[in-house]
Amino acid sequence: MPSSGDEKKRVFAFHSILVLTADTSTDHLIQAVLVAGTSNITKETESALHYLAAWSFVEMAKLPDFQRIPYHQFVILLSSCELHVSHELVAADAALLWLVGQPHPAIYAPGIFSVIRSAYLSKVDRQLIVERIATLQMPESVARFARISMESRHSSRICLEGTHVNRHLSRCGIPDPESRPKETTLSLSRPREGIKWSEKSE
């Protein structure tokens, strides 16, 4: 019978291999995130995977398995200051892509939009998000919650952590969404072949 020490070594080896493998490609990374969503892994391993995923977020969003990321893992990612996006609208775009792949997007919309940092979104950005929700044929309740959430003070919170500001993280610092280049394509959630669609239901 294996000792507890041997078991700990096996668990440590598994977690180490999981992180090392995740760091080799975006495909392996998203599979590791999926494993993390269904396995009992250590907090350190989970944090390491989330860090890698945050910095490859847009690349992961282009993969078919992106919509399979478990809700709780996705919310953690979407709430991260480390999320490597050019601006907040890209984070919202990826969130819409994830939502439309869920059987009942209205259930998950409150948690998803609560971590979108609307202070970094312009009025045009917010309108684009609402229009895309309609284009994706998600329930009206999703659009309604998006509008309410993006106008709430809670979603307008900002990060002024000194180290984050000095690193020029796009989701941190004093918001000035009107001054950045305009983005109108929302390319990640654009209706196209390969996107998993949810059934329209309230």
Side-chain angles (χ1 to χ4, degrees), residues 146-166:
R147 285 191 293 266
I148 293 172
S149 180
M150 289 188 291
E151 297 301 326
S152 75
R153 290 186 177 182
H154 175 73
S155 294
S156 295
R157 69 191 186 286
I158 61 175
C159 171
L160 295 176
E161 174 70 36
T163 55
H164 292 185
V165 174
N166 291 337

Side-chain angles (χ1 to χ4, degrees), residues 55-76:
W55 277 86
S56 298
F57 187 68
V58 174
E59 289 74 18
M60 287 203 312
K62 297 174 183 177
L63 298 177
D65 283 336
F66 182 73
Q67 295 172 321
R68 292 181 55 218
I69 296 175
Y71 168 72
H72 68 284
Q73 295 285 343
F74 190 71
V75 169
I76 292 173

